[in-house]
Amino acid sequence: QVQLVESGGGLVQAGGSLSLSCAASGRPFSMYSAAWFRQAPGKEREFVAAIKTNAITTYYAASVKGRFTISRDNAKNTVYLHIDSLKPEDTSVYCCAAGVVWGSHGTSSSYNYWGQGTRVTVSS
């Protein structure tokens, strides 16, 4: 089992930046790919970004590419999401996920472990 706890959410103004963290405990985190998903009120969960175990290969949703950066520190069992140029439409609950991914890194069903999420609200 892997437990994931997100932090770093909050209220920010449009155009600002924010960094989210997801701390993992349990099994060695380096075994798993990690990802961030988000879910806005009244909308379905949406893939944001993913990173493979090597901490080098990354994937991004087209809607966030260029503004979002995913990274991980396997020694600290933590995955990060840095967001620049925040927009009101980025307002969501951001959840991290981990799993041994055999298929698409952008599909929620590829991940076995999920955090509770951290809320990001962007004011215009």
Side-chain angles (χ1 to χ4, degrees), residues 11-41:
L11 174 64
V12 293
Q13 287 191 330
S17 299
L18 198 64
S19 290
L20 307 180
S21 299
C22 175
S25 60
R27 290 184 175 180
F29 185 56
S30 58
M31 295 172 53
Y32 303 100
S33 290
W36 288 92
F37 289 77
R38 66 184 181 183
Q39 188 165 16

Side-chain angles (χ1 to χ4, degrees), residues 1 17 24 32 35 45 52 54-55 60 65-66 72 74-75 86 94 96-97 100 103 112-113 116 123:
Q1 292 289 330
S17 299
Y32 303 100
R45 181 185 290 167
K52 296 181 75 171
N54 61 14
Y60 293 94
K65 202 166 187 177
R72 68 189 293 167
N74 287 333
L86 277 156
Y94 286 74
C96 68
V100 177
N112 303 100
Y113 306 106
Q116 292 297 311
S123 63

Side-chain angles (χ1 to χ4, degrees), residues 38 46-48 60-68 87 89-90:
R38 66 184 181 183
E46 175 189 22
F47 168 72
V48 173
Y60 293 94
S63 60
V64 306
K65 202 166 187 177
R67 296 192 299 120
F68 287 38
K87 303 176 181 180
E89 51 263 43
D90 294 322

